[in-house]
PDB file of all heavy atoms in Angstrom:
ATOM      1  N   ASP A 124      42.039   1.936  -4.050  1.00 94.00           N
ATOM      2  CA  ASP A 124      41.722   1.473  -5.408  1.00 94.00           C
ATOM      3  C   ASP A 124      41.194   0.043  -5.411  1.00 94.00           C
ATOM      4  O   ASP A 124      40.185  -0.274  -6.052  1.00 94.00           O
ATOM      5  CB  ASP A 124      42.961   1.588  -6.298  1.00 94.00           C
ATOM      6  CG  ASP A 124      42.666   1.167  -7.722  1.00 94.00           C
ATOM      7  OD1 ASP A 124      41.952   1.901  -8.424  1.00 94.00           O
ATOM      8  OD2 ASP A 124      43.143   0.086  -8.129  1.00 94.00           O
ATOM      9  N   ASP A 125      41.848  -0.839  -4.687  1.00 95.00           N
ATOM     10  CA  ASP A 125      41.432  -2.244  -4.679  1.00 95.00           C
ATOM     11  C   ASP A 125      40.072  -2.402  -4.013  1.00 95.00           C
ATOM     12  O   ASP A 125      39.225  -3.184  -4.466  1.00 95.00           O
ATOM     13  CB  ASP A 125      42.480  -3.092  -3.958  1.00 95.00           C
ATOM     14  CG  ASP A 125      42.192  -4.586  -4.081  1.00 95.00           C
ATOM     15  OD1 ASP A 125      42.090  -5.073  -5.230  1.00 95.00           O
ATOM     16  OD2 ASP A 125      42.056  -5.242  -3.041  1.00 95.00           O
ATOM     17  N   ARG A 126      39.817  -1.649  -2.944  1.00 93.00           N
ATOM     18  CA  ARG A 126      38.524  -1.720  -2.264  1.00 93.00           C
ATOM     19  C   ARG A 126      37.410  -1.245  -3.176  1.00 93.00           C
ATOM     20  O   ARG A 126      36.329  -1.849  -3.221  1.00 93.00           O
ATOM     21  CB  ARG A 126      38.565  -0.870  -0.994  1.00 93.00           C
ATOM     22  CG  ARG A 126      39.482  -1.404   0.083  1.00 93.00           C
ATOM     23  CD  ARG A 126      39.663  -0.390   1.191  1.00 93.00           C
ATOM     24  NE  ARG A 126      38.380   0.019   1.761  1.00 93.00           N
ATOM     25  CZ  ARG A 126      38.271   1.059   2.588  1.00 93.00           C
ATOM     26  NH1 ARG A 126      39.334   1.772   2.933  1.00 93.00           N
ATOM     27  NH2 ARG A 126      37.091   1.371   3.091  1.00 93.00           N
ATOM     28  N   VAL A 127      37.638  -0.151  -3.900  1.00 93.00           N
ATOM     29  CA  VAL A 127      36.625   0.381  -4.818  1.00 93.00           C
ATOM     30  C   VAL A 127      36.350  -0.620  -5.930  1.00 93.00           C
ATOM     31  O   VAL A 127      35.198  -0.859  -6.317  1.00 93.00           O
ATOM     32  CB  VAL A 127      37.071   1.741  -5.387  1.00 93.00           C
ATOM     33  CG1 VAL A 127      36.147   2.186  -6.510  1.00 93.00           C
ATOM     34  CG2 VAL A 127      37.109   2.797  -4.289  1.00 93.00           C
ATOM     35  N   ARG A 128      37.413  -1.239  -6.461  1.00 94.00           N
ATOM     36  CA  ARG A 128      37.250  -2.205  -7.545  1.00 94.00           C
ATOM     37  C   ARG A 128      36.417  -3.403  -7.077  1.00 94.00           C
ATOM     38  O   ARG A 128      35.518  -3.869  -7.785  1.00 94.00           O
ATOM     39  CB  ARG A 128      38.617  -2.676  -8.042  1.00 94.00           C
ATOM     40  CG  ARG A 128      38.555  -3.687  -9.182  1.00 94.00           C
ATOM     41  CD  ARG A 128      39.942  -4.146  -9.582  1.00 94.00           C
ATOM     42  NE  ARG A 128      40.681  -4.673  -8.438  1.00 94.00           N
ATOM     43  CZ  ARG A 128      40.502  -5.901  -7.950  1.00 94.00           C
ATOM     44  NH1 ARG A 128      39.614  -6.714  -8.499  1.00 94.00           N
ATOM     45  NH2 ARG A 128      41.231  -6.308  -6.933  1.00 94.00           N
ATOM     46  N   ARG A 129      36.705  -3.898  -5.864  1.00 95.00           N
ATOM     47  CA  ARG A 129      35.948  -5.044  -5.344  1.00 95.00           C
ATOM     48  C   ARG A 129      34.485  -4.676  -5.113  1.00 95.00           C
ATOM     49  O   ARG A 129      33.583  -5.478  -5.363  1.00 95.00           O
ATOM     50  CB  ARG A 129      36.576  -5.556  -4.044  1.00 95.00           C
ATOM     51  CG  ARG A 129      37.947  -6.203  -4.216  1.00 95.00           C
ATOM     52  CD  ARG A 129      38.293  -7.080  -3.016  1.00 95.00           C
ATOM     53  NE  ARG A 129      38.154  -6.371  -1.750  1.00 95.00           N
ATOM     54  CZ  ARG A 129      39.124  -5.703  -1.148  1.00 95.00           C
ATOM     55  NH1 ARG A 129      40.329  -5.632  -1.719  1.00 95.00           N
ATOM     56  NH2 ARG A 129      38.919  -5.088   0.008  1.00 95.00           N
ATOM     57  N   LEU A 130      34.245  -3.470  -4.641  1.00 91.00           N
ATOM     58  CA  LEU A 130      32.875  -3.011  -4.413  1.00 91.00           C
ATOM     59  C   LEU A 130      32.107  -2.922  -5.729  1.00 91.00           C
ATOM     60  O   LEU A 130      30.945  -3.330  -5.814  1.00 91.00           O
ATOM     61  CB  LEU A 130      32.880  -1.662  -3.708  1.00 91.00           C
ATOM     62  CG  LEU A 130      31.512  -1.032  -3.450  1.00 91.00           C
ATOM     63  CD1 LEU A 130      30.672  -1.929  -2.553  1.00 91.00           C
ATOM     64  CD2 LEU A 130      31.655   0.355  -2.836  1.00 91.00           C
ATOM     65  N   GLU A 131      32.768  -2.402  -6.761  1.00 92.00           N
ATOM     66  CA  GLU A 131      32.119  -2.296  -8.066  1.00 92.00           C
ATOM     67  C   GLU A 131      31.793  -3.673  -8.624  1.00 92.00           C
ATOM     68  O   GLU A 131      30.719  -3.880  -9.207  1.00 92.00           O
ATOM     69  CB  GLU A 131      33.011  -1.518  -9.033  1.00 92.00           C
ATOM     70  CG  GLU A 131      33.144  -0.035  -8.674  1.00 92.00           C
ATOM     71  CD  GLU A 131      34.071   0.708  -9.614  1.00 92.00           C
ATOM     72  OE1 GLU A 131      34.743   0.053 -10.438  1.00 92.00           O
ATOM     73  OE2 GLU A 131      34.131   1.952  -9.519  1.00 92.00           O
ATOM     74  N   GLU A 132      32.690  -4.629  -8.443  1.00 94.00           N
ATOM     75  CA  GLU A 132      32.446  -5.984  -8.929  1.00 94.00           C
ATOM     76  C   GLU A 132      31.304  -6.654  -8.174  1.00 94.00           C
ATOM     77  O   GLU A 132      30.503  -7.390  -8.756  1.00 94.00           O
ATOM     78  CB  GLU A 132      33.724  -6.814  -8.816  1.00 94.00           C
ATOM     79  CG  GLU A 132      34.839  -6.375  -9.761  1.00 94.00           C
ATOM     80  CD  GLU A 132      36.124  -7.164  -9.536  1.00 94.00           C
ATOM     81  OE1 GLU A 132      36.171  -7.932  -8.536  1.00 94.00           O
ATOM     82  OE2 GLU A 132      37.064  -7.017 -10.336  1.00 94.00           O
ATOM     83  N   ALA A 133      31.222  -6.390  -6.873  1.00 94.00           N
ATOM     84  CA  ALA A 133      30.213  -7.058  -6.050  1.00 94.00           C
ATOM     85  C   ALA A 133      28.829  -6.436  -6.203  1.00 94.00           C
ATOM     86  O   ALA A 133      27.812  -7.147  -6.169  1.00 94.00           O
ATOM     87  CB  ALA A 133      30.632  -7.034  -4.577  1.00 94.00           C
ATOM     88  N   SER A 134      28.770  -5.118  -6.379  1.00 89.00           N
ATOM     89  CA  SER A 134      27.477  -4.429  -6.386  1.00 89.00           C
ATOM     90  C   SER A 134      27.025  -3.969  -7.761  1.00 89.00           C
ATOM     91  O   SER A 134      25.837  -3.718  -7.976  1.00 89.00           O
ATOM     92  CB  SER A 134      27.551  -3.206  -5.462  1.00 89.00           C
ATOM     93  OG  SER A 134      28.464  -2.244  -5.989  1.00 89.00           O
ATOM     94  N   GLY A 135      27.970  -3.859  -8.699  1.00 89.00           N
ATOM     95  CA  GLY A 135      27.628  -3.313 -10.005  1.00 89.00           C
ATOM     96  C   GLY A 135      27.571  -1.799 -10.015  1.00 89.00           C
ATOM     97  O   GLY A 135      27.236  -1.183 -11.035  1.00 89.00           O
ATOM     98  N   TRP A 136      27.910  -1.172  -8.881  1.00 90.00           N
ATOM     99  CA  TRP A 136      27.906   0.286  -8.801  1.00 90.00           C
ATOM    100  C   TRP A 136      29.261   0.835  -9.220  1.00 90.00           C
ATOM    101  O   TRP A 136      30.307   0.317  -8.820  1.00 90.00           O
ATOM    102  CB  TRP A 136      27.604   0.741  -7.375  1.00 90.00           C
ATOM    103  CG  TRP A 136      26.155   0.576  -7.008  1.00 90.00           C
ATOM    104  CD1 TRP A 136      25.151   0.112  -7.800  1.00 90.00           C
ATOM    105  CD2 TRP A 136      25.568   0.874  -5.741  1.00 90.00           C
ATOM    106  NE1 TRP A 136      23.975   0.099  -7.123  1.00 90.00           N
ATOM    107  CE2 TRP A 136      24.186   0.569  -5.848  1.00 90.00           C
ATOM    108  CE3 TRP A 136      26.048   1.369  -4.545  1.00 90.00           C
ATOM    109  CZ2 TRP A 136      23.303   0.752  -4.788  1.00 90.00           C
ATOM    110  CZ3 TRP A 136      25.182   1.545  -3.489  1.00 90.00           C
ATOM    111  CH2 TRP A 136      23.823   1.239  -3.615  1.00 90.00           C
ATOM    112  N   ASP A 137      29.228   1.888 -10.015  1.00 92.00           N
ATOM    113  CA  ASP A 137      30.431   2.561 -10.464  1.00 92.00           C
ATOM    114  C   ASP A 137      30.734   3.725  -9.533  1.00 92.00           C
ATOM    115  O   ASP A 137      29.818   4.444  -9.110  1.00 92.00           O
ATOM    116  CB  ASP A 137      30.223   3.067 -11.902  1.00 92.00           C
ATOM    117  CG  ASP A 137      31.421   3.832 -12.416  1.00 92.00           C
ATOM    118  OD1 ASP A 137      32.375   3.196 -12.873  1.00 92.00           O
ATOM    119  OD2 ASP A 137      31.394   5.089 -12.352  1.00 92.00           O
TER     120      ASP A 137
END
Side-chain angles (χ1 to χ4, degrees):
D124 182 71
D125 188 57
R126 292 170 56 191
V127 170
R128 180 182 55 79
R129 292 199 308 269
L130 178 61
E131 291 178 351
E132 292 176 352
S134 66
W136 285 359
D137 178 82

